Amino acid sequence: MCQLLGMNCNKPASISFSFEGFCCRGGQTDEHSDGWGIAFFEEKGCRLIIDDKPSITSPLAELVKRNPVKSCNVIAHIRKATQGPVALENSHPFRRELWGRTWVFAHNGHLKTFAPDLFGAFLPVGATDSERAFCYLLQSLKARFGDTQPAVEVLHEALQALAEEIATHGVFNFLLSNGEVQFAHCSTLLHYVTRQYPFAKAHLVDCELSMDFNEHNHLDDCITVIATKPLTSNENWVAFAPGELKMFRNGVEQGAGERQLAMAC
Amino acid sequence: MCQLLGMNCNKPASISFSFEGFCCRGGQTDEHSDGWGIAFFEEKGCRLIIDDKPSITSPLAELVKRNPVKSCNVIAHIRKATQGPVALENSHPFRRELWGRTWVFAHNGHLKTFAPDLFGAFLPVGATDSERAFCYLLQSLKARFGDTQPAVEVLHEALQALAEEIATHGVFNFLLSNGEVQFAHCSTLLHYVTRQYPFAKAHLVDCELSMDFNEHNHLDDCITVIATKPLTSNENWVAFAPGELKMFRNGVEQGAGERQLAMAC
């Protein structure tokens, strides 16, 4: 299978530190060496870098580490091929335009029996179950909401139902963003950590690298990092519950306050 | 306005030499410093690199020069902003998926009065006349041919009529590819050269660099390079006629034989 890395924050930030550890899993500390990719949103614009080579030896991955792009929404992926051969068109993240915005999607899992009817608005270019699921998600959102994007809270609810439906076909951990919010769905394995004041010093588990976030962040910075498995050894990574779809905006999980209140009652 | 660079060939080749000269026009030998981009097809897969910084100082452009990607279809662009501010989402080439293939488009020109009705299948993310024109092209092709791509010869004919229609709104030089063929439309200014045996030694006009294609190519290589203005000083660049839409496949202009025959009769 694959691994996912996402970042959502309130001000453009660099993902270089987390990406450094994540890349090690693409052929060094782990076996995900069948390609990698990373998408950075800058307002409505989106840079997408994909490669069908291992991230650990990729010149493009080196460039991303050395020339950090600052972004409020990032989605990265390292691939261990299950469906679809090792090829550029099968490398995540995938992107499409819907409602005049770029949407980016990456998947960890395996949807063995998923062959949805796709009517032509969004068709897969490659041969992965993942791109099929992405096309189906966007097709379903467009069919339901027409030509205008609804409020993100409404999208969240619709995506929860769609994710549940697709997850009946197998393992469906995914990250999805339109540059405004980031959705993260856990089917089996997904974690996140929110970094905010007071900041800590963090140490990567995949390589000998530490960072003191006090030195790099401002008091009002709020950064959530989402990853298949925790990337650092001394931070409070929170495991998603199976079936959970979280929505992050400005680095904060949306709706968390309401849920905490409901649980307290 | 902007400048265009395209390449279409029969075997994956590197565009590094031409790109080296082209990049000089992005802030050094010419004024096109409001962003740049390049798309490489590898079979159905597509790498798209875009930047809103000048190509002459871009680390990404340096990487493209130093790590040549081999491709049969390349489209590159350097931008001098006319409509839409300097921003990532306004940087060419643009990409969309249609008929399960990635389509890439770059434009040189200015469509002052072009405000087509876009019905939702393809909507612009940025604010350029160019992306509007691309969306309109794809929308029109989809409306005419439904959910399956017709033969490229049929597409060629349909695109000629669409290009004529859009060009009534201003200057509309463009490159368009689905990774299989490359279309090049000249409204005011576009040139191409086809490199095949016997190969020559070429010298860039924008910087001190020469290349002896005999040393780098095989006897059966066939490579067409398309550019707004000729990139080399000692090759036979052919000027497009205004209003002409050429289709290139495997490095060869399609339909050229038939036209030559017709002219000879």
Side-chain angles (χ1 to χ4, degrees), chain A residues 69-90:
Chain A
V69 176
K70 294 205 167 185
S71 169
C72 283
N73 271 292
V74 179
I75 291 180
H77 183 270
I78 46 177
R79 183 166 187 242
K80 171 75 183 152
T82 47
Q83 280 189 42
V86 177
L88 202 57
E89 67 267 25
N90 293 332

Side-chain angles (χ1 to χ4, degrees), chain A residues 47 50 97 120 123 125 142, chain B residues 47 50 97 120 123 142:
Chain A
R47 293 178 202 272
I50 48 170
E97 171 261 311
L123 293 176
V125 174
K142 190 168 182 180
Chain B
R47 292 178 203 273
I50 48 170
E97 172 261 312
L123 293 175
K142 190 168 182 179

Side-chain angles (χ1 to χ4, degrees), chain A residues 57-224:
Chain A
T57 55
S58 165
L60 271 168
E62 269 306 305
L63 186 89
V64 170
K65 290 180 211 163
R66 287 199 315 271
N67 296 276
V69 176
K70 294 205 167 185
S71 169
C72 283
N73 271 292
V74 179
I75 291 180
H77 183 270
I78 46 177
R79 183 166 187 242
K80 171 75 183 152
T82 47
Q83 280 189 42
V86 177
L88 202 57
E89 67 267 25
N90 293 332
S91 300
H92 309 219
F94 302 102
R95 69 184 274 174
R96 290 291 189 282
E97 171 261 311
L98 172 62
W99 299 318
R101 292 203 73 124
T102 299
W103 289 76
V104 165
F105 172 88
H107 169 219
N108 150 245
H110 194 189
L111 301 166
K112 289 176 195 170
T113 57
F114 189 59
D117 281 330
L118 296 172
F119 305 117
F122 304 95
L123 293 176
V125 174
T128 62
D129 50 344
S130 311
E131 195 185 8
R132 275 200 301 282
F134 181 37
C135 290
Y136 181 71
L137 277 178
L138 295 187
Q139 172 180 287
S140 304
L141 291 177
K142 190 168 182 180
R144 177 157 169 193
F145 299 112
D147 288 340
T148 311
Q149 183 182 307
V152 288
E153 293 75 16
V154 178
L155 269 181
H156 189 182
E157 198 184 318
L159 280 166
Q160 177 74 58
L162 282 165
E164 276 171 30
E165 177 194 339
I166 298 172
T168 60
H169 296 270
V171 178
F172 194 45
N173 304 297
F174 73 79
L175 299 177
L176 172 72
S177 181
N178 65 350
E180 184 189 356
V181 291
Q182 185 154 166
F183 298 99
H185 181 257
C186 174
S187 177
T188 53
L189 193 66
L190 201 59
H191 294 79
Y192 77 99
V193 64
T194 300
R195 294 172 184 149
Q196 54 193 333
Y197 181 82
F199 295 100
K201 187 174 177 181
H203 187 78
L204 291 178
V205 295
D206 293 276
C207 57
E208 281 302 321
L209 195 67
S210 297
M211 183 172 278
D212 186 347
F213 292 117
N214 274 308
E215 291 175 10
H216 294 272
N217 292 338
H218 295 106
L219 290 182
D220 59 345
D221 283 355
C222 185
I223 299 168
T224 288

Side-chain angles (χ1 to χ4, degrees), chain B residues 131-145:
Chain B
E131 195 185 10
R132 274 201 301 280
F134 180 37
C135 290
Y136 181 71
L137 277 178
L138 296 186
Q139 171 179 287
S140 304
L141 292 177
K142 190 168 182 179
R144 176 155 171 195
F145 299 110

Side-chain angles (χ1 to χ4, degrees), chain A residues 40-53 59-60 63 66-67 88-89 95-102 119-126 135 142 147, chain B residues 40-53 59-60 63 66-67 88-89 95-102 119-126 135 142 147:
Chain A
F40 303 92
F41 280 95
E42 294 177 37
E43 302 289 337
K44 292 182 80 182
C46 180
R47 293 178 202 272
L48 174 65
I49 295 171
I50 48 170
D51 207 351
D52 52 356
K53 307 290 184 300
L60 271 168
L63 186 89
R66 287 199 315 271
N67 296 276
L88 202 57
E89 67 267 25
R95 69 184 274 174
R96 290 291 189 282
E97 171 261 311
L98 172 62
W99 299 318
R101 292 203 73 124
T102 299
F119 305 117
F122 304 95
L123 293 176
V125 174
C135 290
K142 190 168 182 180
D147 288 340
Chain B
F40 302 91
F41 280 96
E42 294 177 37
E43 301 290 337
K44 292 182 79 182
C46 180
R47 292 178 203 273
L48 174 66
I49 295 170
I50 48 170
D51 206 351
D52 52 357
K53 307 291 183 300
L60 271 167
L63 186 88
R66 287 199 316 271
N67 297 276
L88 202 57
E89 67 268 24
R95 70 184 276 175
R96 290 291 189 281
E97 172 261 312
L98 172 62
W99 299 319
R101 292 202 72 125
T102 299
F119 304 117
F122 304 96
L123 293 175
V125 175
C135 290
K142 190 168 182 179
D147 288 339

